[in-house]
Amino acid sequence: MPKVMLLDGNSLINRAFYALPGLKNSAGTPTGAVYGFLNMFFKITEAERPDYIAVAYDLRGPTLRHEAYRDYKAHRTGMPDDLAAQMPILKEVLSALGVAQVELPGYEADDLLGTLACRAEKDGYQVVIVTGDRDALQLVSDLVRVTLTKKGITEVKNYDQSAVREEYGLSPAQMIDLKGLMGDASDNIPGVPGVGEKTALKLVQEFGSLEEALENAGRAPGKKLPELLKEYREQALLSKRLAAIECDAPLQSGLEDLRVREPDAGIVRRLFTELEFKNLLKRFGQEASVLVLDGPAFATEEVEEMILEAGQSLPFEPVETVDRRELAVFRAYGPEAGPTGVLSFCLQPGRVFRFAGAGDAEKAVTGCLADPMVRLAGHDLKSLVRERLEAGYPIRAELFDTAVAAYLVDSGRPNFRLEPLAREYGLPAPEVESEGGREAFDRTAAHLLRRLQGPMAERLRVDGLDELYWKVEAPMIAILASMERWGVRVESGGLEEMGRELETRIFALTQDIYFLAGSQFNINSTKQLGDILFNKLGLPVIKRTKTGPSTDSEVLEALAPQHEIVQKILEYRTLVKLKSTYVDGLKALIRPETGRVHTTFNQTVAATGRLSSTEPNLQNIPIRIEEGRRIRKLFLAEEGMVLLTADYSQIDLRVLAHYSHDHALVDAFSRDQDIHTRTAAEVFEVPMDQVTTEMRRRAKTVNFGLSYGQTDFGLARELGITRTEARGFIDRYFTRYPGVKTYMEQTIEAGRRQGYVTTLLGRRRYLPEINSRNHNLRAFAERMAINSPIQGTAADIVKLAMIDLYREIEARCLKSRMLLQVHDELVFEVPPGELDAMADLVQERMEGALRLDVPLKVDVKTGPNWYDLRRLNLARDARG
């Protein structure tokens, strides 16, 4: 029997928006509502496998119900701006996915769902309605069932006739009678005043319908209820009409218009890439490949046909150049590519062979990546490498990734896409956005890559970056692919439990905030919150934006001492973000087949050279609060294994000591003293054993703040002291640590002279604003000049350690796995039998990754999860 699936677009995206309220891509476009909707959409469509799909929407403007009752939904405010901005994005994505979408002036989405459901039911089709609105339960019948989303969008409940009767004691048709009596505050349907759900249920169950209940009002229980039913008879009948879903809307779309169509994979990939939906992007095929040798390369149908006939006996004999076979790889997408993209090969100069699909071409890719005598050029190679690792094949080829090379040349580029990069190097690249541009680009991209790698390699050499590329960045491609492949186990049951706990706390905070405000309001609305804080409560406006007074976290932190409500709001925001991003967000990212979260590590995002991660962003788990730390408790070792963590101790300050050659700083680390206590003793001129907790806290703030180029203004705000006090503190610091001040001055001067600063390994950070006449831009560039060599060198040290450890684990055939890199910490999954050997190995290689004027120190811990860890006392600790 054919199946029709109908979705309430407005209801579902609204729920998704509040489930993932703060999600944005790197361009600042809000994306959480679309991401949540699509996750739910794919989950349900995979479970239901419908033959027909439609998404229905409300339109702005009055409906038939407004004609009947002017105050219908009168209290409703418009969509939040961040949600409204996502509606056209959702429609564009669904269109690319081949999903029919319907809307009709004067009618609500419910009416369109009802109309299509009744038409399909009449033709004998099964119907599934997906919504967050219980009004749809009235449509349930022998062939129609309703899937209601619960807890935002993470859970659903299916209702057939028996489920409706079991929960309400009513038939689906009687749900309208129920609404007529009790009304609906969310839609401003009045019902009968004083009649709630419990009373309304008893009346409908006893009398069978609203009309019969009104006719028999005198038999209603109690003294007041009979009078209410008589007094509000017409209002109850109107309410029932308002609650009834129209099943005969003049909708032009027929069922055939709703038939499931093949998605336009090329457009979907482009949209998901722009929105940065990397997990969803995997549904539409990983990067396919194009292998190219010397010379111009253009595919022809004749060549494609020849290779297809050749089958497995491909004459894969590339021309020898230098001591390696040099090839290039590119994944071509487009409508003609099919779900896995187009694979293309150049087997001899001037000829590119293209495949639609995998098969023999995939075998050749595997062979290339496993061959240490191949240098494989490509653009964003990590996903291709991860595929081969997941399939169990080794990676031995040298990898020249033009995106990573471009990142090394200038990490501040606005983007690292191949087509503008090729044009920058004087290569003719088709405009992808022009008509036919994508197909033309796909056919010539392999050729571009083969020609691009030469000048890019030369640019790396001229800039002194070639050793950094080949010794650090190139090996990281396979390591990050391996880490993404393994992922890390996450306890979904614990997430659910924590989610319920946070819901309870968020609800309690909400009530406290309403009490302190003296009224209810939308805490998430900047405008409404600003009205409460600045107009009603009279708090001072600290900062303004284009739309009015700011209520960002910086403003709220400043206002917190002035009113109890502000601290409650800060706590509310923290818990809401924790729940949406890391509790609900993590749960959605757990792969059912592995029970693990497979984050994406980004090698070309942070301008300093540090790695970042997305889906989830492991760098931003708020571990300074207990609730955030408890998130780590849910990251578990695999059964029969333990987690081993290794964290560099104060690596940024150790790098600063090396750069500055400051005697006191070097001496403190050489003696393994607590650097913050030592600094407090120096600045406050007291013995180390007389340093108080507050003294150490201030010294710690200065130690880390100055390495980030912090000013007296920033320090004053951080410590809650006057700017004069902060300046005095900084002056005393520089008196005790004069080498640090000299480093800062000389580094800024080098940045002004060269236009960039470098790390110990030569990584560059360009500073185009360092000579700007604009004070704010210039000051920011100066802070970057101070901090980038420190952070960048620390990043290089972590990467060197990762490379050394990855190779050693492979060489020793250990079963241990490197899973995560977060800030200066590495996380491994280790069999108990390898724990001692791995602990020693990890500490030795991390502390020896790069020789500095001060020793590197690593804290090694182990435990069943990322929270319950005990420190290991290793032999190297005793050696110092």
Side-chain angles (χ1 to χ4, degrees):
M1 183 183 297
K3 183 185 290 186
V4 181
M5 190 169 83
L6 306 170
L7 298 97
D8 186 334
N10 288 75
S11 169
L12 297 175
I13 196 171
N14 189 68
R15 281 179 168 263
F17 175 74
Y18 288 105
L20 298 168
L23 192 61
K24 296 183 179 182
N25 67 5
S26 56
T29 303
T31 59
V34 177
Y35 183 77
F37 183 103
L38 292 173
N39 268 303
M40 177 277 306
F41 174 83
F42 287 126
K43 180 179 179 180
I44 293 179
T45 51
E46 287 170 2
E48 297 290 351
R49 303 181 68 84
D51 303 285
Y52 305 84
I53 300 181
V55 178
Y57 302 100
D58 298 329
L59 283 176
R60 287 186 176 182
T63 67
L64 298 175
R65 292 174 181 80
H66 290 94
E67 296 176 10
Y69 182 54
R70 185 180 59 184
D71 292 332
Y72 177 68
K73 292 187 178 181
H75 64 291
R76 289 272 184 100
T77 57
M79 280 186 182
D81 291 343
D82 278 2
L83 174 55
Q86 295 181 70
M87 289 300 295
I89 297 173
L90 176 67
K91 292 179 179 180
E92 185 179 8
V93 171
L94 290 176
S95 177
L97 289 170
V99 176
Q101 300 174 79
V102 294
E103 50 193 16
L104 188 65
Y107 293 84
E108 297 180 68
D110 281 350
D111 301 320
L112 307 185
L113 298 176
T115 298
L116 291 171
C118 291
R119 290 180 186 177
E121 182 184 23
K122 185 178 178 182
D123 290 343
Y125 293 2
Q126 294 182 62
V127 180
V128 180
I129 297 173
V130 186
T131 181
D133 190 347
R134 289 181 175 271
D135 287 351
L137 296 179
Q138 64 186 269
L139 299 172
V140 172
S141 68
D142 288 337
L143 291 176
V144 179
R145 60 185 167 85
V146 169
T147 295
L148 273 182
T149 57
K150 301 174 66 181
K151 293 188 177 180
I153 54 171
T154 57
E155 294 182 13
V156 298
K157 182 172 181 180
N158 290 302
Y159 286 86
D160 56 13
Q161 294 182 90
S162 62
V164 174
R165 190 169 291 280
E166 179 180 345
E167 184 164 331
Y168 293 96
L170 304 177
S171 70
Q174 289 176 310
M175 296 299 291
I176 321 172
D177 300 282
L178 181 70
K179 189 66 70 74
L181 284 163
M182 62 181 281
D184 186 344
S186 66
D187 289 342
N188 207 35
I189 296 176
V192 176
V195 174
E197 182 175 353
K198 186 176 179 180
T199 301
L201 278 170
K202 288 181 179 178
L203 289 171
V204 178
Q205 288 166 357
E206 180 177 353
F207 297 108
S209 70
L210 168 68
E211 289 80 2
E212 285 298 315
L214 295 174
E215 288 296 324
N216 293 279
R219 294 170 49 198
K223 295 181 179 179
K224 193 174 182 181
L225 183 57
E227 295 302 318
L228 289 171
L229 292 174
K230 292 175 184 177
E231 180 179 355
Y232 293 98
R233 173 188 175 86
E234 293 307 316
Q235 185 167 295
L237 293 170
L238 169 64
S239 296
K240 180 175 178 177
R241 291 199 301 275
L242 294 173
I245 291 175
E246 172 65 59
C247 288
D248 193 26
L251 195 61
Q252 297 302 311
S253 300
L255 284 179
E256 278 309 303
D257 298 319
L258 315 185
R259 184 174 289 278
V260 172
R261 303 191 304 275
E262 283 293 319
D264 187 328
I267 296 177
V268 172
R269 290 186 193 102
R270 175 179 62 79
L271 291 171
F272 283 2
T273 299
E274 292 172 357
L275 296 168
E276 299 174 3
F277 292 169
K278 294 186 179 179
N279 270 19
L280 297 181
L281 189 59
K282 295 170 186 175
R283 294 175 171 271
F284 292 85
Q286 303 300 314
E287 265 189 338
S289 314
V290 175
L291 301 179
V292 183
L293 278 173
D294 295 315
F298 300 94
T300 66
E301 293 181 5
E302 177 184 355
V303 172
E304 290 177 40
E305 184 177 350
M306 182 183 73
I307 293 190
L308 288 171
E309 289 176 356
Q312 295 185 12
S313 58
L314 286 172
F316 193 66
E317 294 295 336
V319 174
E320 295 293 333
T321 64
V322 294
D323 61 338
R324 293 180 185 273
R325 292 176 289 168
E326 294 189 0
L327 306 103
V329 55
F330 178 76
R331 186 174 314 237
Y333 287 134
E336 81 288 351
T340 59
V342 170
L343 299 167
S344 302
F345 294 85
C346 176
L347 308 182
Q348 56 187 340
R351 306 180 77 183
V352 170
F353 298 158
R354 288 163 55 91
F355 285 85
D360 301 319
E362 193 172 78
K363 293 177 184 177
V365 172
T366 299
C368 291
L369 287 170
D371 189 343
M373 296 307 295
V374 165
R375 175 173 290 181
L376 190 65
H379 196 77
D380 195 9
L381 285 166
K382 177 160 59 74
S383 57
L384 177 65
V385 171
R386 185 180 62 244
E387 286 177 11
R388 298 299 85 209
L389 288 173
E390 288 173 348
Y393 296 105
I395 308 300
R396 299 283 185 266
E398 279 193 350
L399 303 177
F400 189 86
D401 192 313
T402 51
V404 176
Y407 168 75
L408 270 190
V409 169
D410 182 5
S411 62
R413 287 177 61 92
N415 66 70
F416 297 93
R417 291 186 296 118
L418 178 55
E419 54 270 30
L421 183 62
R423 285 192 289 272
E424 184 179 309
Y425 280 81
L427 300 176
E431 292 283 352
V432 174
E433 303 303 325
S434 64
E435 185 176 352
R438 167 53 62 186
E439 182 179 358
F441 180 77
D442 286 349
R443 289 181 171 271
T444 60
H447 179 215
L448 287 175
L449 275 166
R450 184 64 183 87
R451 296 179 63 192
L452 181 59
Q453 67 169 327
M456 287 208 73
E458 176 62 14
R459 175 67 184 273
L460 290 176
R461 188 192 66 78
V462 170
D463 287 355
L465 296 166
D466 51 344
E467 188 172 0
L468 179 62
Y469 177 83
W470 290 113
K471 290 189 176 181
V472 179
E473 295 298 342
M476 285 302 300
I477 297 170
I479 294 172
L480 297 179
S482 171
M483 292 163 66
E484 291 178 9
R485 166 207 181 192
W486 287 120
V488 61
R489 184 179 168 210
V490 175
E491 184 186 358
S492 60
L495 286 173
E496 291 177 359
E497 181 181 343
M498 190 171 182
R500 289 191 292 269
E501 179 186 323
L502 288 173
E503 276 184 359
T504 301
R505 291 187 58 190
I506 290 167
F507 178 79
L509 278 170
T510 301
Q511 301 310 307
D512 289 346
I513 291 168
Y514 289 163
F515 174 77
L516 292 168
S519 63
Q520 293 190 15
F521 65 100
N522 183 354
I523 303 171
N524 300 313
S525 165
T526 299
K527 185 175 185 301
Q528 293 185 37
L529 177 59
D531 186 57
I532 292 291
L533 296 180
F534 307 119
N535 295 333
K536 188 171 184 179
L537 299 180
L539 295 176
V541 174
I542 294 177
K543 185 169 65 176
R544 289 187 177 274
T545 68
K546 292 180 180 178
T547 56
S550 171
T551 58
D552 64 19
S553 57
E554 185 179 309
V555 168
L556 294 185
E557 291 285 357
L559 293 174
Q562 300 189 39
H563 200 290
E564 184 183 357
I565 194 174
V566 182
Q567 189 57 49
K568 296 279 187 183
I569 292 166
L570 283 167
E571 187 178 354
Y572 168 89
R573 284 185 176 180
T574 298
L575 296 186
V576 166
K577 182 176 181 180
L578 194 65
K579 182 178 183 300
S580 63
T581 304
Y582 290 105
V583 176
D584 299 338
L586 269 176
K587 186 179 176 184
L589 294 173
I590 299 174
R591 288 192 195 172
E593 66 272 21
T594 65
R596 299 167 80 92
V597 166
H598 300 259
T599 191
T600 297
F601 291 98
N602 305 307
Q603 198 174 354
T604 61
V605 171
T608 57
R610 287 192 179 273
L611 298 171
S612 66
S613 61
T614 51
E615 294 187 312
N617 180 351
L618 299 173
Q619 319 285 344
N620 283 353
I621 297 176
I623 59 174
R624 291 186 178 180
I625 60 172
E626 177 60 21
E627 294 85 355
R629 288 190 291 272
R630 282 178 54 206
I631 292 287
R632 288 192 166 198
K633 194 181 187 75
L634 305 176
F635 285 73
L636 310 175
E638 192 59 71
E639 292 288 343
M641 302 183 87
V642 296
L643 292 185
L644 183 146
T645 70
D647 194 2
Y648 277 109
S649 172
Q650 299 167 341
I651 189 171
D652 285 5
L653 295 179
R654 293 171 190 269
V655 173
L656 174 61
H658 176 87
Y659 266 117
S660 66
H661 307 294
D662 184 89
H663 174 75
L665 209 53
V666 170
D667 182 64
F669 283 122
S670 298
R671 294 188 184 193
D672 197 23
Q673 293 177 333
D674 180 279
I675 189 61
H676 306 312
T677 301
R678 170 72 179 262
T679 299
E682 296 277 3
V683 172
F684 289 104
E685 299 180 332
V686 298
M688 288 181 64
D689 60 2
Q690 292 182 26
V691 170
T692 66
T693 301
E694 177 60 19
M695 288 177 179
R696 186 182 183 277
R697 183 183 77 85
R698 293 192 174 194
K700 181 178 180 179
T701 302
V702 173
N703 275 331
F704 284 119
L706 290 182
S707 70
Y708 283 80
Q710 190 175 49
T711 63
D712 55 0
F713 175 78
L715 181 62
R717 187 177 60 197
E718 186 83 11
L719 293 178
I721 59 180
T722 67
R723 194 165 178 178
T724 301
E725 288 176 304
R727 171 44 56 192
F729 203 109
I730 291 174
D731 288 343
R732 293 198 301 276
Y733 178 93
F734 285 143
T735 299
R736 294 293 180 167
Y737 298 104
V740 175
K741 185 174 185 180
T742 300
Y743 159 75
M744 295 170 67
E745 292 171 345
Q746 290 178 348
T747 304
I748 290 172
E749 179 54 36
R752 287 202 181 102
R753 186 176 64 254
Q754 300 172 156
Y756 63 86
V757 290
T758 62
T759 68
L760 288 180
L761 296 188
R763 184 184 300 275
R764 292 188 179 189
R765 174 73 181 274
Y766 284 93
L767 305 163
E769 308 295 345
I770 198 163
N771 292 308
S772 172
R773 293 183 179 180
N774 182 302
H775 171 76
N776 291 334
L777 293 176
R778 186 175 66 253
F780 178 77
E782 289 173 354
R783 291 195 296 273
M784 291 306 98
I786 294 168
N787 176 246
S788 293
I790 297 169
Q791 274 212 57
T793 297
D796 291 340
I797 291 171
V798 174
K799 288 178 179 178
L800 286 170
M802 293 172 72
I803 293 163
D804 196 4
L805 285 166
Y806 182 82
R807 288 173 174 167
E808 195 63 23
I809 290 170
E810 259 197 349
R812 297 189 188 186
C813 299
L814 299 176
K815 294 181 180 178
S816 298
R817 312 158 177 166
M818 190 186 305
L819 302 185
L820 302 175
Q821 188 275 328
V822 180
H823 301 303
D824 305 318
E825 180 182 14
L826 299 180
V827 180
F828 302 83
E829 201 167 51
V830 179
E834 294 179 5
L835 183 58
D836 290 342
M838 273 295 293
D840 285 333
L841 175 66
V842 167
Q843 187 179 46
E844 176 190 348
R845 299 307 171 93
M846 289 180 71
E847 290 184 348
L850 187 66
R851 184 174 295 279
L852 301 178
D853 289 347
V854 297
L856 292 172
K857 185 178 180 181
V858 173
D859 295 321
V860 181
K861 299 177 182 178
T862 186
N865 59 62
W866 202 9
Y867 177 90
D868 298 308
L869 298 166
R870 62 180 178 85
R871 190 174 187 274
L872 294 175
N873 294 314
L874 304 175
R876 289 181 61 80
D877 292 343
R879 295 196 298 269

